[in-house]
RNA sequence: GUCCCCAUCGUCUAGCCCGGCCUAGGACACCGGCCUUUCACGCCGGCGACAGGGGUUCGAAUCCCCUUGGGGACGCCA
């Protein structure tokens, strides 16, 4: 462990605003916080920052909860709702006002807007000019009496030497001169506190020890530290994670990239939740020995804030590429997990998928449990997502499946004699006492010899006849799995796909 | 425009803090080959990067400076 976790109990939080979907960036932030909490034996808090009433929705809250639950990122406290703490935020603002760390600003939106535009036009940086910073008490009282609306601004120390310094757990020592920070607004003219204040107050109230968030929060950090200091609170450790950008180096957003950046999308497209987590963990973090695949416990053990990267990473998704419908490495992680995890652990996911596709049979958890597991094990090596079990794997679970045109053309329609061979094989297979792969193989091999044809011809034809495709596991295992009765039925049925020799 | 941050294969990255072990390692993707009844898997091999320029040093991917490029923040949003 690093020196960032000296305190007794680590307390971290994931604090999304419920204004949209849970997306990859948010999930990664949640994951890093969760990992840090689990690693240190600390507490992971979920806080919904819903103070933007115009944009916050209940559906979004539910989506976030569902997404985190699906990913397996369980939280220990919450969800807390920021809006429930409004009085505490206002109270903090009042204290800041009383102690002189904040002041009332009577400048109107229109005035500020005009100043902003002018600055823009003259291509100079806009920063609030501090006009209300030193209003006399009489002046303030007079304006209050007149009922003039005001916002509350934080009085940023203006001495030329004043600097806010903090040690970021990822970026190291960070410094910001007071003169480069404007007197930021902490309370709106309608009395509602702003994020910058609410967030800091909530972190204090929740006893947050480590703020692990996206690097877009860096600019807020000096301001929030100022708030902490003015209130006499000890600031938490900040750890800013690099951002994840798209292939054009723009920030990932649902608006711009659509579903592909949402967690729900991966769930719908047959991702294993942990495969996604594992992939996400590696976007901006790496293990000391280069290991890439981790179980939960291994990742928890290995994860460390000090190994978080400082440079942004790119989510390598290229729109319009059907093969790479998301980052290829993400697909690779999913496929590898599907192929290598214990089949018993994979089974529940396949079950869910088959149920959704209407292919699930009750007996798969009863007398055919063994068959089900063996079949999943047989076919999974070629699959990339859970969806493949109900699409490409359909012929194992249903009597109804599609014949691929290309496969039929390649393996069936070229050879008219298959109209004889296939029923012959069916007849012989029917007579096999114990329908196992070696007995099946024997039937094929001897028949091929007898008819003086290549075994491959029969094998490929049979593959297409029973599965509709030209690819798949070894034929004999495949036939064994599909079963004697069904195999012979399909072999006979397939002759309708073979043209007779006259044609 | 101002402030801040970042910079190694197409992508994710190791190495950088504590210069030499780096003719820069791994992973994904891609391309070959082997295996094979097909497709995968697996194995073997290939392609492919220290942004540029100055320093410092016997020696720089590693330290310093500049340039360039990229990103972020500049709201009475969060």
């Amino acid at each position: 462990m690093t020196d960032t976790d000296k305190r007794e109990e680590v307390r971290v939080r994931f604090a999304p605003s419920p204004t949209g979907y849970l997306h990859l960036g948010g999930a990664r932030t949640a994951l890093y916080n969760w990992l840090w909490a689990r690693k240190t034996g600390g507490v992971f808090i979920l806080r919904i920052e819903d103070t933007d009433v115009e944009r916050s929705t209940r559906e979004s809250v539910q989506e976030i909860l569902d997404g985190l639950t699906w990913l397996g990122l369980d939280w220990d406290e919450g969800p807390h709702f920021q809006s429930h703490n409004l009085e505490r935020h206002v109270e903090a603002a009042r204290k800041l006002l009383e102690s002189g760390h904040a002041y009332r600003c009577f400048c109107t939106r229109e005035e500020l807007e005009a100043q902003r535009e002018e600055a823009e036009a003259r291509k100079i940086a806009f920063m609030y000019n501090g006009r209300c910073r030193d209003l006399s008490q009489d002046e303030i009282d007079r304006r209050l009496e007149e009922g003039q609306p005001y916002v509350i601004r934080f009085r940023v120390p203006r001495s030329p030497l004043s600097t806010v310094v903090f040690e970021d757990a990822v970026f190291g020592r960070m410094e910001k001169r007071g003169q480069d920070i404007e007197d930021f607004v902490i309370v709106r003219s309608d009395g509602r506190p702003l994020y910058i204040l609410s967030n800091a107050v909530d972190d204090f109230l929740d006893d947050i020890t480590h703020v692990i968030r996206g690097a877009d929060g860096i600019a807020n950090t000096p301001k929030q530290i100022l708030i902490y200091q003015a209130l006499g609170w000890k600031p938490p450790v900040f750890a800013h994670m690099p951002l994840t950008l798209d292939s054009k180096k723009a920030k990932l957003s649902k608006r711009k990239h659509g579903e592909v950046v949402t967690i729900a999308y991966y769930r719908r497209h047959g991702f294993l939740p942990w495969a996604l987590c594992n992939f996400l963990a590696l976007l901006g973090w790496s293990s000391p020995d280069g290991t890439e695949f981790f179980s939960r416990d291994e990742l928890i053990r290995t994860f460390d804030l000090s190994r978080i990267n400082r440079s942004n990473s790119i989510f390598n998704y290229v729109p319009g590429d059907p093969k790479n419908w998301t980052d290829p490495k993400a697909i690779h992680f999913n496929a590898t997990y599907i192929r290598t995890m214990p089949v018993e652990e994979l089974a529940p996911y396949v079950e869910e998928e088959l149920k959704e596709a209407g292919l699930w049979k009750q007996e798969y958890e009863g007398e055919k449990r063994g068959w089900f597991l063996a079949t999943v094990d047989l076919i999974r090596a070629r699959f990339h997502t859970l969806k493949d079990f109900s699409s490409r794997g359909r012929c194992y679970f249903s009597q109804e499946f599609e014949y691929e045109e290309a496969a039929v053309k390649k393996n069936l329609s070229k050879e008219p004699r298959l109209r004889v061979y296939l029923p012959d094989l069916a007849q012989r297979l029917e007579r096999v006492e114990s329908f196992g792969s070696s007995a099946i193989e024997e039937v094929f091999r001897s028949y091929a010899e007898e008819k003086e044809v290549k075994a491959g011809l029969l094998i490929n034809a049979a593959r297409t006849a029973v599965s509709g495709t030209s690819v798949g596991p070894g034929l004999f295992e495949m036939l064994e799995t599909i079963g004697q009765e069904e195999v012979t039925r399909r072999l006979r049925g397939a002759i309708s796909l073979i043209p007779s020799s006259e044609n």
Side-chain angles (χ1 to χ4, degrees):
Chain A
M1 280 188 227
T2 66
D3 60 359
T4 52
D5 57 299
K6 272 184 227 148
R7 298 179 217 208
E8 288 293 316
E9 185 188 51
V10 165
R11 293 175 61 85
V12 294
R13 65 2 181 230
F14 174 52
S17 61
T19 54
Y21 293 72
L22 179 62
H23 55 92
L24 292 171
R28 191 174 63 116
T29 304
L31 173 65
Y32 281 29
N33 275 284
W34 178 85
L35 284 168
W36 189 239
R38 294 294 169 264
K39 183 191 179 71
T40 57
V43 177
F44 178 48
I45 299 165
L46 176 59
R47 178 163 73 225
I48 305 293
E49 304 214 321
D50 58 345
T51 48
D52 184 346
V53 289
E54 288 84 23
R55 295 197 300 150
S56 297
T57 66
R58 292 185 56 159
E59 296 75 54
S60 179
V61 172
Q62 196 52 50
E63 167 104 10
I64 290 164
L65 263 39
D66 289 348
L68 291 176
T69 302
W70 178 71
L71 287 168
L73 305 179
D74 54 324
W75 55 94
D76 307 303
E77 285 184 20
H80 297 160
F81 288 85
Q82 186 158 67
S83 55
H84 297 176
N85 266 151
L86 247 35
E87 306 81 58
R88 305 295 300 271
H89 308 154
V90 172
E91 182 192 323
R94 193 162 45 232
K95 273 190 202 154
L96 290 171
L97 213 45
E98 281 164 11
S99 63
H101 288 290
Y103 61 90
R104 295 181 179 83
C105 170
F106 296 91
C107 297
T108 65
R109 287 176 201 256
E110 292 70 29
E111 287 168 340
L112 293 171
E113 201 43 53
Q115 289 170 26
R116 224 187 305 276
E117 273 170 29
E118 197 193 324
E120 182 115 356
R122 290 170 51 195
K123 289 200 181 294
I124 55 169
F126 172 76
M127 206 182 267
Y128 172 63
N129 60 16
R131 197 168 63 140
C132 301
R133 190 175 158 108
D134 297 307
L135 256 30
S136 69
Q137 193 56 49
D138 287 349
E139 179 75 4
I140 295 168
D141 289 344
R142 185 183 63 77
R143 288 177 186 248
L144 285 177
E145 212 153 306
E146 282 177 15
Q148 278 192 28
Y150 63 87
V151 300
I152 300 177
R153 284 181 186 274
F154 191 90
R155 189 190 305 275
V156 176
R158 278 283 169 267
S159 106
L161 296 175
S162 75
T163 308
V164 182
V165 181
F166 66 98
E167 188 72 22
D168 191 280
V170 173
F171 286 91
R173 185 186 170 86
M174 305 283 277
E175 273 186 60
K176 184 91 174 171
R177 290 185 303 253
Q179 55 185 292
D180 293 327
I181 308 171
E182 82 169 347
D183 285 351
F184 52 97
V185 178
I186 53 176
V187 179
R188 297 175 173 92
S189 53
D190 65 4
R192 286 152 63 211
L194 252 12
Y195 160 83
I196 194 100
L197 206 221
S198 300
N199 180 257
V201 172
D202 280 352
D203 281 344
F204 170 74
L205 260 21
D206 285 335
D207 267 322
I208 299 301
T209 58
H210 295 72
V211 171
I212 304 170
R213 52 158 49 152
D216 47 355
I218 286 181
N220 284 329
T221 308
K223 297 178 183 174
Q224 295 189 305
I225 286 175
L226 249 16
I227 291 173
Y228 271 89
Q229 289 172 341
L231 259 6
W233 300 339
K234 182 180 181 187
V237 171
F238 288 90
H240 287 95
M241 338 173 6
L243 267 14
T244 300
L245 278 17
D246 72 6
S247 53
K248 294 193 204 83
K249 299 196 172 162
K251 222 171 140 180
L252 249 31
S253 71
K254 166 105 196 295
R255 188 190 170 82
K256 196 164 179 181
H257 306 90
E259 298 281 285
V260 71
V261 302
T262 68
I263 295 306
Y265 181 83
Y266 293 86
R267 185 179 187 172
R268 278 203 309 277
H269 283 76
F271 257 71
L272 259 4
W274 183 250
L276 223 211
C277 285
N278 197 153
F279 167 75
L280 251 19
L282 260 19
L283 232 43
W285 174 86
S286 62
S287 76
D289 67 358
T291 303
E292 297 203 310
F293 283 88
F294 298 91
S295 68
R296 281 176 168 252
D297 288 346
E298 286 165 347
L299 187 57
I300 288 167
R301 208 179 315 126
T302 315
F303 182 77
D304 197 304
L305 297 179
S306 68
R307 286 192 66 85
I308 296 178
N309 233 301
R310 274 176 280 272
S311 48
N312 294 339
S313 56
I314 290 170
F315 180 68
N316 194 19
Y317 152 73
V318 183
D321 182 348
K323 184 157 192 262
N324 297 322
W325 51 276
T326 184
D327 190 311
K329 194 152 182 172
I331 297 175
H332 169 252
F333 270 82
N334 202 237
T336 301
Y337 271 103
I338 285 177
R339 189 170 67 238
T340 61
M341 70 198 286
V343 70
E344 293 80 12
E345 283 174 33
L346 178 62
Y349 294 104
V350 178
E351 175 177 340
E352 194 183 354
E353 172 58 29
L354 292 184
K355 277 179 175 162
E356 212 172 288
L359 297 174
W360 179 255
K361 296 191 186 77
Q362 201 53 238
E363 57 190 10
Y364 293 163
E365 50 194 308
E367 68 267 34
K368 287 196 79 177
R369 179 70 183 172
W371 176 88
F372 174 66
L373 293 177
T375 301
V376 167
D377 196 31
L378 179 72
I379 63 182
R380 63 174 171 162
R382 289 152 189 83
F383 292 171
H384 291 167
T385 74
L386 262 13
K387 288 285 153 198
D388 289 328
F389 285 95
S390 62
S391 54
R392 297 207 278 150
R394 191 181 173 94
C395 65
Y396 295 90
F397 304 106
S398 169
Q399 299 188 353
E400 285 151 36
F401 56 92
E402 305 265 303
Y403 284 89
E404 287 171 16
E405 202 178 315
V408 170
K409 203 171 166 189
K410 182 177 169 218
N411 292 333
L412 291 176
S413 29
K414 276 184 194 161
E415 178 50 84
R417 283 178 294 174
L418 287 169
R419 289 177 71 92
V420 176
Y421 297 162
L422 259 26
D424 271 2
L425 284 165
Q427 197 178 45
R428 293 184 182 205
L429 288 170
E430 236 160 17
R431 293 201 294 262
V432 171
E433 288 283 331
S434 158
F435 201 67
S437 61
S438 47
I440 298 168
E441 177 161 12
E442 176 54 29
V443 168
F444 273 80
R445 300 277 180 212
S446 59
Y447 185 79
E449 213 168 300
E450 199 179 309
K451 294 290 174 187
E452 295 182 332
V453 295
K454 279 190 188 160
L457 173 76
L458 303 176
I459 288 169
N460 289 330
R463 178 191 308 289
T464 301
V466 301
S467 72
T469 78
S470 57
V471 303
L475 180 78
F476 312 119
E477 288 74 27
M478 181 176 159
L479 296 188
E480 178 182 345
T481 291
I482 290 171
Q484 196 163 21
E485 193 182 327
E486 187 62 16
V487 165
T488 52
R489 191 183 72 79
R490 289 183 193 180
L491 285 176
R492 291 189 172 114
I495 60 168
S496 66
L497 299 165
I498 308 166
S500 50
S501 46
E502 300 90 72
N503 300 337

